[in-house]
Amino acid sequence: MVSILPLKLSAASAHMHGKRLLGPVSLTLGQNGLTVVIGPNGAGKTTLLRLMHGLQRCSGGALSWAVPAAEARQRQAFVFQAPIMMRRRVIDSLAYPLRLRGIGKGEARAMARASAARFGLADLLESRAPLLSGGEKQKLSLARALIIAPEVLFLDEPCANLDGRATREIETLLLCERARGTRIVMSTHDMGQARRLAQEVIFMHKGVVHESGAAEPFFAAPDTPEAAAFINGDIVE
Amino acid sequence: MSGYSEGFWGAWRLIFTFDPELYEIIFLSLQVTVSAVIIASVIGLPLGAWLAVNRFWLRRYVIAVLNALMGLPPVVVGLFVYMALSRAGPLGGFGLLFSPAAMIIAQVIIITPLIASLSHQSIRDLWAEYHDLLISMNATRAQRIRALLWDGRRALLTATLAGFGRAIGEVGAIMIVGGNIEHVTRALTTAIALETGRGNFAFAMGLGLVLIVLAIIINLAIHIIGKTERASTW
Ligand SMILES: Nc1ncnc2c1ncn2[C@@H]1O[C@H](COP(=O)(O)OP(=O)(O)OP(=O)(O)O)[C@@H](O)[C@H]1O
Ligand SMILES: [Mg+2]
């Protein structure tokens, strides 16, 4: 199967009610690896991820996958900053993306069980998803996104509000997923997490990509003073 | 005062001896109202859901009209339905005036806006919650509406029950278009109006008790559904 990557953004921008939220942004997401998007609050991280995934309209410039957009959409998934829980049991929530793709009830449920086991949700299969704890909801969101075996996985601050242990659990699952060849693009406010996971970094500031590149040199010696200040935990003006 | 207590005990006697006349009226009322609720739900629930998930330029006006229709005085609805169904009216050819069908039509007109409006509100809230997820998962339009209707089923049931409550207790419209004809179009409310006027308090009160019990059951059901919904965000 032809890869949906690379994703190319050329001078892409996003507007809402005439206000510029993002852009112009030009970048290429290559075939492999894990990209971490960082930057201060309101820098445009969420908007960039949503734009790439197609939840935010591209109001200027262009965005193109290696395959037609409709096909690319089928092969990516998104984990939201605030988990969206359907009013269903955990097993049905997990089976739902499969059911949408026309997979039979029995098969979908069997796959949901297998996925729940992998994500440590096996004991919660019959629980109501909206009643789970924050960490359990995040894991369910991740499991639900991965159950369709997407080629590209977007995550918007998947560990916000989680404690250290839950964060490590999610990180381990993400690294395992990366090892399977899933292309991961995630935003985070946790610089420790960014350093642990990132192979590639996108530093956003004021709605544009301020600096981007391989993770190691970026963290060792960022090119711009804003990026240096940000990774040191200083306030970025 | 003696007429009062006589009426009260007479009412219970009629209910527990299964007075055929009393039960005929109860069944006619239930038949008419249940039919009206089913028809109004078939129209109102999908209309409410559709208004919640589709953006089009007329939408705000349609919603405003629905809300206005909700406050329509039933007597006026009765008048319009009467005029439409009377011999000279546009639908006079069907000969429906003074039949249960006419009563069903009037009730449908009265409660469809209520059911559509209530279901629109709850589906709109659910859609705001699910929007990004369902779009991200590439759910088709039909799949989205199905998910919203299914996950919002408690709220939709509440809307339907509210419609039932309003229809079963309505007098003016069904009096006008049904004519309160014995054995044909005499319903709970119209019979109470008539029997009270005749001084037949036992019979009127028997029907009144049934109506009260129905109203309590409906409100209790709405309350319980609402409580489970809130308690578990489920
Ligand atoms: N729907 C919207 N309407 C108007 N402005 C918006 C909308 N969504 C986002 N914005 C604005 O766009 C800018 C970028 O927002 P975005 O959510 O992408 O930031 P972020 O980097 O994800 O921030 P955070 O770290 O707080 O999550 C912000 O100034 C925000 O106020
Ligand atoms: Mg954000």
Side-chain angles (χ1 to χ4, degrees):
Chain A
M1 194 159 49
V2 188
S3 171
I4 64 172
L5 291 162
L7 167 67
K8 287 202 178 83
L9 272 66
S10 24
S13 57
H15 290 77
M16 193 76 101
H17 312 300
K19 183 187 157 210
R20 182 186 65 95
L21 308 184
L22 182 83
V25 170
S26 298
L27 60 83
T28 301
L29 273 191
Q31 299 259 356
N32 300 303
L34 194 157
T35 301
V36 170
V37 183
I38 56 173
N41 287 131
K45 303 180 293 296
T46 299
T47 309
L48 177 66
L49 295 178
R50 290 173 63 93
L51 182 82
M52 289 173 166
H53 185 51
L55 285 173
Q56 172 74 46
R57 209 171 57 83
C58 192
S59 54
L63 178 153
S64 64
W65 296 87
V67 299
E71 194 193 331
R73 262 322 279 287
Q74 292 286 343
R75 288 154 65 185
Q76 42 178 305
F78 199 103
V79 175
F80 296 93
Q81 189 164 352
I84 301 173
M85 291 291 113
M86 296 181 83
R87 299 176 186 183
R88 301 182 179 205
R89 288 174 198 285
V90 169
I91 183 160
D92 296 321
S93 304
L94 277 173
Y96 186 67
L98 300 170
R99 302 282 294 140
L100 284 181
R101 286 161 184 245
I103 293 173
K105 196 164 192 161
E107 195 186 343
R109 282 174 156 250
M111 289 170 75
R113 274 197 199 87
S115 154
R118 208 180 133 220
F119 287 84
L121 296 167
D123 294 337
L124 298 169
L125 275 174
E126 296 300 323
S127 305
R128 298 163 174 200
L131 299 183
L132 298 179
S133 78
E136 290 161 351
K137 283 182 186 167
Q138 282 293 9
K139 275 199 273 186
L140 175 54
S141 297
L142 185 57
R144 184 179 56 191
L146 288 173
I147 204 161
I148 57 162
E151 208 175 312
V152 180
L153 174 66
F154 295 102
L155 305 107
D156 194 8
E157 298 188 36
C159 301
N161 307 319
L162 298 190
D163 66 13
R165 209 183 101 167
T167 300
R168 283 305 172 116
E169 271 176 29
I170 300 252
E171 285 182 12
T172 308
L173 290 164
L174 289 178
L175 287 175
C176 168
E177 208 48 46
R178 187 186 71 186
R180 292 174 161 209
T182 307
R183 181 72 169 93
I184 295 175
V185 185
M186 63 182 283
S187 71
T188 184
H189 274 290
D190 179 345
M191 282 308 110
Q193 178 170 64
R195 286 172 196 267
R196 286 192 293 275
L197 299 179
Q199 292 170 321
E200 196 179 70
V201 176
I202 294 175
F203 173 63
M204 302 283 304
H205 185 40
K206 295 186 174 164
V208 295
V209 176
H210 203 74
E211 195 175 331
S212 68
E216 235 170 278
F218 174 85
F219 285 117
D223 288 338
T224 60
E226 289 84 357
F230 184 74
I231 59 180
N232 285 329
D234 294 340
I235 293 168
V236 185
E237 293 305 337
Chain B
M1 197 64 215
S2 78
Y4 197 83
S5 65
E6 231 169 76
F8 189 74
W9 295 115
W12 288 108
R13 199 167 47 248
L14 287 171
I15 291 173
F16 288 107
T17 56
F18 295 100
D19 180 76
E21 222 177 308
L22 188 90
Y23 278 87
E24 185 188 1
I25 292 171
I26 296 172
F27 282 123
L28 179 86
S29 246
L30 286 176
Q31 240 172 24
V32 166
T33 300
V34 168
S35 310
V37 167
I38 290 172
I39 296 170
S41 298
V42 167
I43 303 169
L45 296 180
L47 176 63
W50 190 77
L51 285 172
V53 300
N54 282 291
R55 312 212 143 267
F56 57 98
W57 66 280
L58 265 177
R59 195 178 71 122
R60 274 181 36 207
Y61 299 97
V62 174
I63 292 165
V65 167
L66 270 186
N67 287 333
L69 286 178
M70 248 196 325
L72 217 61
V75 169
V76 179
V77 173
L79 171 64
F80 283 125
V81 174
Y82 184 99
M83 282 161 53
L85 297 182
S86 66
R87 215 167 286 280
L91 304 174
F94 296 104
L96 292 178
L97 198 60
F98 303 134
S99 72
M103 297 158 77
I104 293 175
I105 292 172
Q107 289 196 342
V108 167
I109 294 173
I110 291 166
I111 63 175
T112 299
L114 177 70
I115 293 179
S117 180
L118 289 178
S119 58
H120 164 251
Q121 286 167 25
S122 47
I123 295 292
R124 185 193 54 198
D125 294 348
L126 195 58
W127 177 230
E129 200 180 316
Y130 281 12
H131 178 272
D132 285 353
L133 182 69
L134 292 180
I135 301 285
S136 166
M137 286 178 172
N138 282 303
T140 63
R141 188 175 293 250
Q143 286 172 330
R144 287 176 219 167
I145 292 192
R146 207 177 317 151
L148 291 170
L149 290 178
W150 179 247
D151 288 11
R153 61 192 178 281
R154 277 175 187 72
L156 299 181
L157 184 59
T158 305
T160 299
L161 287 175
F164 182 91
R166 179 159 167 146
I168 194 85
E170 196 283 319
V171 203
I174 58 169
M175 179 83 92
I176 294 176
V177 303
N180 199 16
I181 303 167
E182 200 171 3
H183 306 306
V184 186
T185 57
R186 185 160 300 171
L188 279 168
T189 50
T190 56
I192 290 175
L194 181 76
E195 302 298 345
T196 305
R198 280 181 178 168
N200 192 353
F201 294 121
F203 201 80
M205 218 174 238
L207 296 170
L209 287 172
V210 171
L211 207 49
I212 289 172
V213 168
L214 282 174
I216 291 174
I217 292 174
I218 300 286
N219 283 300
L220 214 60
I222 290 177
H223 178 74
I224 290 169
I225 293 168
K227 220 169 138 182
T228 52
E229 180 100 5
R230 272 193 307 280
S232 58
T233 51
W234 175 239

